[in-house]
Amino acid sequence: MNERAKRKQRQMLRRKAYFMLLLLLGLMGLGGHSLAHVSGRAEYVAAAGQQSLYRLDVAKSRGTIYDCRLRPLTGGKTRWTAAVAPTIEAVGAVETATGGQYRDRLALALEDGKPLSLEVDRPVEHPCVDMFRVASRYDEQQLAPHVVGYLDSQGAGAAGIELAMNDALDSHSGEITVYYQVDALGRAIAGASRRVVDTMEETGGGVAVTLDKDLQRLAENASAKLGKGAVVVTEVPDCQVRALVSLPDFEPNRIGQAAGSQEAPLVNRAFSAYAPGSVFKLVTAAVELESGHALDSFDCAGALNAGGLLFNCYDGKPHGEVDLRGAIEKSCNCYFISAARSLGGLPVLSMAYNLGLGARQEFGRGLYTDPGTLPEGDSLANPRALANFSFGQGDVTVTPLQMCGLMNAIASDGVYSSPKLIEGLVSADGQLTPQKPVTDVTLQAISGKTAGLLREYLAGAAKNGTGAAGAPQGVPCGIKTGTAQTGVYENGQELSHFWYCGFVCDETGPRYCITVLKESALDSQGVAEAFREIAAGCVKK
């Protein structure tokens, strides 16, 4: 081979070597870039690792709402829940136990291999089925739904204590979760171990309200025939709400149905304001006694002219000679119109405010009462307005809860205490920490002497007067009744609000105050019966 040929051969070898080197360097660079790109995506790595586990949320809940004795008002009823790894054998066992109730869901789970949870009536025994006893948030016959409230679609409080104490209840959340090993297609691996995380014990903490479960059930049963209305029971002397009923009620698990009802069951009628009628006469009577100028005698002719308008007593019947005791027993409108003329409107208005009327009661976020209405002082210069005001008509409205507060002051030697609904916070180990009320008012609204006389007169009304039909046999009590016109007519007859408001005594004296309201009705049927049954049950508890 000549020199020229050798030189050409050497050049070809060098070019080939250069090409191979460049190719190798290129491949190394590409490999390094890909490695850096993949290793830099930490989220991809984490996601890849998670693909070997499947999370099944079996149950979630939050803190419990308790009564004043720390008995649960929520979560009291439990159900069986099965967490199923869908093997043929496990699905067959569940199918048999449920009688085909979940056939379609089980077939789909078996097809895609993903675990599922189901409510069942009894435990299912199979190695691939985990059984849990899970508490339902609400019962079908939930006690005190207007106090307890309900949750929204996200599980947060939407009304009642659920809303007012949402943060406290959420702080005691718990859940049951099962983690399954799955294959590359996300199917549960039969026979593989699984991990259960159960923190439901945390839901033992929560909130205690002042309701007494026994009295709440008593009040609900006794008032079931009222139709529309409310019942409130408070305990003397601090005015803790021991029972609160609003009718019609609702099921917290069926809020959509309740929201669409024309009967407005979601409205808390115990917190809503109505014309009080004759139960308001206690305010006028308190001013009379405090002033020392109660009418010794008044001749009731059954009707009285005020500002050119004729005001009648109930049924237009004359009561004859009555004093304050007789006027309360017989609920004489004419007597109280005359008393208000003598006293003037402003002292009666001031007394109404002192006894808690015209003021909103607040218990927490979203949980408060209607303040009710009281007339402007200037308007009471009008004789007609003053006459209406003296016996609870015209521009005055009150809530059933406010009337219990007023009666509680009479039963407590004249000391007004704002109603209380929240007892305090409950820790996970069951320890109660009392909570100061949002609305916290205590004042000497009337003298002890005045309160004592009013109790005496109310006891007379329960024994011999308009409240006799609602007085429980052998139980000391005091009652004031009321019938308030609404101006609304049905088939030519005016609807009225019917009231029973009073106190019941045990061996120590006045123990509970009770208000019963039947809303917008043609007759008072059921009101006296409800009061009598509740009053008797309170002292026998």
Side-chain angles (χ1 to χ4, degrees), residues 306 311 333 336-337 340 382-393:
F311 289 85
N333 292 347
F336 286 98
I337 293 172
N382 183 306
R384 295 184 182 183
L386 179 59
N388 270 317
F389 182 52
S390 70
F391 62 94
Q393 291 283 175

Side-chain angles (χ1 to χ4, degrees), residues 160-454:
I161 294 295
E162 296 278 28
L163 173 60
M165 304 299 289
N166 185 69
D167 294 343
L169 294 167
D170 265 353
S171 69
H172 292 284
S173 294
E175 63 182 6
I176 299 174
T177 306
V178 183
Y179 293 90
Y180 295 86
Q181 295 185 44
V182 294
D183 60 20
L185 298 177
R187 302 171 62 90
I189 300 174
S193 61
R194 51 195 178 273
R195 183 165 63 93
V196 176
V197 177
D198 185 349
T199 60
M200 280 297 194
E201 63 181 12
E202 295 296 325
T203 64
V207 176
V209 295
T210 60
L211 298 184
D212 182 298
K213 203 170 182 177
D214 296 332
L215 292 183
Q216 180 66 31
R217 186 174 289 107
L218 168 68
E220 289 187 12
N221 292 339
S223 60
K225 295 180 180 180
L226 290 180
K228 288 184 181 179
V231 172
V232 180
V233 179
T234 57
E235 186 166 1
V236 179
D238 294 329
C239 206
Q240 300 100 331
V241 179
R242 297 306 188 202
L244 188 149
V245 181
S246 177
L247 298 167
D249 63 4
F250 63 92
E251 292 184 33
N253 291 321
R254 299 181 180 180
I255 293 302
Q257 177 181 332
S261 173
Q262 294 184 349
E263 299 298 314
L266 296 180
V267 173
N268 188 342
R269 288 169 165 81
F271 286 2
S272 301
Y274 302 86
S278 292
V279 292
F280 185 83
K281 291 173 181 175
L282 294 173
V283 178
T284 307
V287 178
E288 264 205 294
L289 292 171
E290 289 288 276
S291 70
H293 296 99
L295 298 176
D296 293 330
S297 180
F298 175 80
D299 187 7
C300 172
L304 189 66
N305 186 297
L309 184 66
L310 194 64
F311 289 85
N312 295 312
C313 277
Y314 185 66
D315 287 340
K317 296 178 180 179
H319 294 126
E321 292 288 332
V322 292
D323 56 8
L324 179 55
R325 178 195 296 269
I328 288 178
E329 289 183 4
K330 298 176 181 180
S331 200
C332 179
N333 292 347
C334 295
Y335 177 96
F336 286 98
I337 293 172
S338 295
R341 284 175 175 173
S342 175
L343 296 167
L346 292 181
V348 180
L349 182 62
S350 178
M351 178 63 73
Y353 278 115
N354 285 344
L355 289 169
L357 307 185
R360 185 172 82 169
Q361 301 288 322
E362 186 172 359
F363 303 106
R365 180 178 58 186
L367 187 59
Y368 49 81
T369 72
D370 190 315
T373 56
L374 291 172
E376 296 291 334
D378 293 345
S379 72
L380 296 178
N382 183 306
R384 295 184 182 183
L386 179 59
N388 270 317
F389 182 52
S390 70
F391 62 94
Q393 291 283 175
D395 295 333
V396 56
T397 60
V398 302
T399 70
L401 182 66
Q402 286 174 334
M403 287 310 302
C404 260
L406 182 154
M407 189 60 68
N408 187 83
I410 294 173
S412 305
D413 291 330
V415 178
Y416 171 79
S417 297
S418 52
K420 299 161 186 66
L421 186 59
I422 297 177
E423 196 81 46
L425 302 179
V426 181
S427 63
D429 60 355
Q431 298 300 309
L432 175 67
T433 301
Q435 181 163 323
K436 183 179 175 63
V438 177
T439 300
D440 190 18
V441 178
T442 302
L443 60 90
Q444 188 77 44
I446 55 178
S447 68
K449 180 180 179 181
T450 292
L453 287 171
L454 288 176

